[in-house]
Amino acid sequence: MRELWRKRSVHGITFFLLLPALLCFFGLFFYPMLLTVILSFRPEGHEVGWTLENYTRFLSDPDGRWVILLTFILSLASTALSIVLSVPLALTLREKVRGHQLYRLMILVPLVIPGLIGALGLLLFWGSRGWFNLFLLQFVPGMASPLRINYTIQGLIYFYVWLYFPYTCITTMSALESLDPAIEEAGAVAGANRWQVLRYVVLPLITPGILAGSVLTFMAAFGAFSVPLIAGGDYRPLAVEIYKQISIPIPARWSAASAIAMVMGVLQVVFLTVYMRLVRRAGGNARGAR
Amino acid sequence: MKMRTWTTAAFLVIAGAALAAPVPVAAGAPTELVVADSMSGANFQTYWQKTVIPAVKQVLGVNLRYLVTSDAEQIQKTKAWKPGQGDFHILFAKSIATWVKSGVPLEALNASNVPNSAKILPEFLKSDEGVDLQGKGLLYWRTSYALIHNSQYVKNPPKSWKEFYDRRGEFTGHIGLIRPDAKSSAAWRQRLVFLHAFLGDKMKMPIDQLEKDPAFQDAWNKLKDFTKHAKAPLPSEPVNLFEDFNSGETWIALYAQDYALWSARQGTMPPTIRATYPAEGADEIGTGYFAVPAGIPQEYKEVAFKVLNYLLSDDQQIRLITTMWQYPATEITDQVPPIAWEMVPKLDVLTKTAIPRDRIRKDMIDYVKGHAKDLLP
């Protein structure tokens, strides 16, 4: 009897300790999400009734479909470029080159600077009278006019990479540093040159780490708002489209905005599911390689 | 022992939560108010923080908690308030007309509760954007749009909109037009002022009639054509417009005189920036209005009225023009130091070129916003 009472008390206290987290979950996540779902099915400006019109209007509009495609293009391109940038950088920094601690710190800079400030800085730097173009015009012979980077899709992808590549880079570095050097040595002893060790030993083993980090980069890029708002020019992805529904028309189109937010959420979850499956498969292959 | 550990941990969590909970406001007059500002740009947000809030604290002993927000968000929130439990006390609205039309209950503001409001010109208390304010808004300041141009590139600025339109080829790729779907009010002001130049008195017509008028069709087509001569891509928000001015890509744009002059002083626009007023009118004078939501506790309303009265005092109103180049809401032009008129035109000059208030109405603004897609090049 006493034992039963003790167990119940422990469960009660456990529940009590979990309560703040549960309340936070319901209050800060579940309830707003539920409200967004409900609102997305309400006729615009009404608090009763159900409709699919908010979804059909957005998804049947060519502009709506272009916005979805653009969001994927921006996120995938910036994720791919982040991987391309992160792997050599992580390999270099693993060698503990002079000043590597400073470089590691610098990688984190985009994460600690607010996105809007970062975007403004990048606009100034890459602008037609920014330092980059001034340098080119000064030192590149035959260069008569500045390169156009701001407000182009390529420029926007650079901005995304700058802001979100640290997620991929940090996990890649962490995967590389947790790699047992004996495995690489074994490859070398077996006659593989440095490139072969990298290609057939190191890369397969760190792939799960790269993919895990790139998921974070992808998700951040998919939901990017302040950067495309300020630096996107005519390229305005889903988050900006949601914002437009609320901030431009009066009265605000809350139902339309909620429907676009739901589309965005569903796309993210679907993509994440597929991606995580890939990561798990890559993880399985890596274990096999080990 | 384990049981005791759990009990201690639970006690600590509960005690921590209790200590972290907000302390209830003491009885008596509140000393802290929340100001929700959906109106100010970066210039006036800075002014709130550096000038208004310290002054109110010093003079009235009231601490203003400043919240930058949007009309849409706050209207939605305010509708969900339970009576007497509203959580912001003074509203500085981007569009007072939108608030009044939304049906959100607002306090009536007049000389009985805000004595200095008696000095405001009655027409500004009566309506804004063509909407009857029902005495629920108090004007804080006025400002104007002007043709802002970089004198380094534009030696002979257009003297009228018609001249500007005729000379559009001269400025191709260098006209600053903010995106029509931007949050900034410049998005619709620039278009409305352009349309007014070609429509004049017809702008008084209800939009459903005006839309069918051939003169409107002509003006609308001219606007679309004019847009093709703007710097592309169109700047998303004013910050991009400023950067385009800095880079030399944009030479001329209709924009807020106060913000442009403030920015030139801050170094975020070229020092060679100048302003002119086109003959057909620069803009209806831009207006910033206060309101007090009715759904807040009574004791907060009393303090809010005192704060508004102070902000409409002569001292505070003169500061608006001497530091921010915004025109006072109250009739104190004779008290403004002459040096202020060296930077901005006198109010009577502005009044002559300002578009009459009844020609820029909410339905027209909504029409431009609703047709933003047509106005992208």
Side-chain angles (χ1 to χ4, degrees):
Chain A
M1 187 65 187
R2 201 172 166 180
E3 182 61 17
L4 185 70
W5 172 245
R6 197 188 68 80
K7 270 187 182 173
R8 280 194 180 165
S9 300
V10 169
H11 286 148
I13 291 169
T14 308
F15 175 74
F16 210 72
L17 289 173
L18 278 175
L19 199 59
L22 288 172
L23 286 176
C24 284
F25 174 76
F26 279 99
L28 301 177
F29 176 76
F30 186 75
Y31 175 70
M33 268 313 277
L34 184 69
L35 209 63
T36 308
V37 174
I38 293 172
L39 210 54
S40 72
F41 290 106
R42 292 271 191 240
E44 196 65 75
H46 292 78
E47 287 173 11
V48 288
W50 301 98
T51 181
L52 281 172
E53 197 198 342
N54 301 311
Y55 288 93
T56 51
R57 193 190 305 146
F58 178 66
L59 294 172
S60 60
D61 180 4
D63 286 351
R65 292 199 294 270
W66 160 242
V67 168
I68 294 174
L69 181 67
L70 174 71
T71 310
F72 269 107
I73 291 172
L74 290 169
S75 316
L76 287 171
S78 52
T79 305
L81 274 175
S82 294
I83 295 172
V84 169
L85 193 64
S86 296
V87 174
L89 194 62
L91 285 166
T92 309
L93 291 181
R94 186 176 68 149
E95 299 299 323
K96 305 277 188 289
V97 292
R98 182 186 277 256
H100 70 100
Q101 280 167 327
L102 180 67
Y103 298 136
R104 282 165 193 259
L105 208 63
M106 280 170 66
I107 290 169
L108 296 175
V109 166
L111 293 183
V112 293
I113 293 177
L116 191 64
I117 306 296
L120 287 173
L122 291 168
L123 277 178
L124 292 174
F125 182 80
W126 297 105
S128 54
R129 286 197 183 178
W131 285 3
F132 179 73
N133 268 311
L134 287 179
F135 175 83
L136 291 184
L137 291 170
Q138 188 75 27
F139 296 106
V140 177
M143 187 141 177
S145 58
L147 277 183
R148 188 161 186 80
I149 296 161
N150 286 346
Y151 310 120
T152 61
I153 195 160
Q154 297 91 329
L156 193 54
I157 292 168
Y158 295 151
F159 287 18
Y160 272 45
V161 171
W162 185 83
L163 280 165
Y164 303 125
F165 102 97
Y167 295 116
T168 308
C169 192
I170 289 164
T171 51
T172 306
M173 275 175 17
S174 149
L176 258 177
E177 279 163 5
S178 63
L179 201 63
D180 186 351
I183 299 174
E184 289 172 73
E185 283 165 18
V189 167
N193 61 28
R194 287 189 70 171
W195 165 247
Q196 286 169 322
V197 169
L198 178 68
R199 168 72 183 81
Y200 296 106
V201 179
V202 176
L203 282 181
L205 288 173
I206 64 167
T207 298
I210 297 171
L211 291 178
S214 64
V215 166
L216 297 175
T217 296
F218 178 85
M219 297 311 269
F222 202 87
F225 169 67
S226 47
V227 177
L229 178 75
I230 292 298
D234 291 334
Y235 301 101
R236 295 161 87 81
L238 277 164
V240 179
E241 193 59 33
I242 294 169
Y243 167 77
K244 257 172 62 182
Q245 300 297 327
I246 296 166
S247 68
I248 313 302
I250 293 175
R253 293 192 197 120
W254 288 101
S255 295
S258 301
I260 303 173
M262 289 314 301
V263 169
M264 187 173 169
V266 168
L267 288 173
Q268 274 175 307
V269 169
V270 169
F271 187 86
L272 199 61
T273 310
V274 174
Y275 207 89
M276 290 315 284
R277 214 168 258 188
L278 278 176
V279 172
R280 273 198 293 274
R281 195 176 293 169
N285 291 343
R287 275 193 295 278
R290 220 186 275 254
Chain B
M1 184 65 193
K2 200 175 176 186
M3 184 71 185
R4 190 178 292 171
T5 311
W6 275 107
T7 314
T8 311
F11 173 77
L12 286 174
V13 169
I14 294 164
L19 288 172
V23 180
V25 176
T31 54
E32 190 166 280
L33 258 60
V34 177
V35 178
D37 180 1
S38 54
M39 172 67 185
S40 304
N43 58 338
F44 211 72
Q45 286 172 17
T46 309
Y47 185 73
W48 271 104
Q49 305 274 12
K50 289 194 174 169
T51 308
V52 178
I53 293 171
V56 170
K57 174 81 180 166
Q58 193 184 2
V59 176
L60 302 178
V62 176
N63 189 26
L64 295 181
R65 284 174 57 205
Y66 182 61
L67 169 72
V68 176
T69 184
S70 72
D71 283 347
E73 183 188 341
Q74 292 305 327
I75 287 172
Q76 194 75 358
K77 253 183 71 183
T78 312
K79 282 181 177 172
W81 282 355
K82 287 184 179 159
Q85 292 186 10
D87 59 2
F88 71 85
H89 313 100
I90 294 174
L91 169 72
F92 188 42
K94 185 168 189 79
S95 168
I96 189 72
T98 302
W99 278 85
V100 172
K101 279 189 82 175
S102 74
V104 168
L106 299 171
E107 281 297 310
L109 300 169
N110 47 50
S112 66
N113 50 19
V114 184
N116 282 331
S117 67
K119 298 182 207 166
I120 300 174
L121 279 174
E123 74 222 50
F124 287 100
L125 293 175
K126 194 166 175 290
S127 70
D128 193 51
E129 294 176 30
V131 172
D132 178 4
L133 295 182
Q134 303 158 28
K136 290 174 178 173
L138 277 190
L139 186 70
Y140 181 28
W141 47 248
R142 292 174 277 172
T143 184
S144 173
Y145 266 44
L147 270 180
I148 306 295
H149 60 276
N150 188 339
S151 56
Q152 186 188 344
Y153 303 107
V154 183
K155 305 291 180 198
N156 175 26
K159 291 173 187 60
S160 70
W161 279 105
K162 286 177 183 127
E163 183 190 335
F164 194 7
Y165 179 72
D166 291 341
R167 289 171 57 192
R168 62 194 182 284
E170 205 180 301
F171 302 107
T172 298
H174 301 292
I175 299 170
L177 272 181
I178 299 236
R179 282 181 70 96
D181 55 0
K183 185 173 186 286
S184 165
S185 65
W188 57 263
R189 282 184 199 277
Q190 291 180 332
R191 274 92 188 169
L192 248 61
V193 172
F194 182 95
L195 290 172
H196 173 264
F198 294 92
L199 291 168
D201 269 349
K202 288 197 171 185
M203 290 281 276
K204 289 181 189 169
M205 288 163 66
I207 188 63
D208 49 344
Q209 286 176 33
L210 182 61
E211 199 182 1
K212 291 169 194 149
D213 194 294
F216 179 81
Q217 303 290 342
D218 181 54
W220 190 260
N221 288 334
K222 282 192 167 91
L223 176 58
K224 283 164 83 170
D225 178 43
F226 188 69
T227 304
K228 287 178 192 158
H229 294 265
K231 182 254 161 194
L234 304 185
S236 307
E237 292 294 338
V239 65
N240 303 92
L241 177 75
F242 289 7
E243 184 41 31
D244 290 345
F245 264 109
N246 281 327
S247 69
E249 287 170 282
T250 292
W251 298 347
I252 185 164
L254 182 80
Y255 196 66
Q257 169 188 270
D258 57 337
Y259 203 159
L261 291 172
W262 180 81
S263 301
R265 186 196 259 182
Q266 301 292 315
T268 53
M269 272 184 108
T272 43
I273 285 294
R274 299 287 179 270
T276 55
Y277 295 102
E280 306 93 335
D283 184 14
E284 173 199 25
I285 299 175
T287 46
Y289 277 87
F290 282 127
V292 174
I296 60 171
Q298 186 59 37
E299 64 271 24
Y300 280 87
K301 289 179 191 169
E302 300 301 329
V303 183
F305 297 150
K306 278 185 190 156
V307 171
L308 296 191
N309 198 51
Y310 173 65
L311 296 180
L312 292 172
S313 65
D314 294 354
D315 169 63
Q316 285 295 304
Q317 288 283 297
I318 288 170
R319 274 172 203 272
L320 288 172
I321 190 153
T322 54
T323 57
M324 300 303 289
W325 298 293
Q326 281 156 332
Y327 296 98
T330 55
E331 282 296 285
I332 52 157
T333 311
D334 53 332
Q335 294 181 44
V336 175
I339 196 166
W341 306 126
E342 289 175 18
M343 283 302 291
V344 292
K346 282 190 174 176
L347 202 52
D348 55 346
V349 176
L350 194 66
T351 312
K352 271 181 212 159
T353 58
I355 298 173
R357 291 170 62 75
D358 57 352
R359 294 190 195 172
I360 294 191
R361 301 181 321 269
K362 187 158 166 42
D363 58 345
M364 278 294 297
I365 295 167
D366 289 347
Y367 183 87
V368 169
K369 285 182 176 181
H371 290 75
K373 218 163 133 181
D374 294 350
L375 298 174
L376 285 167

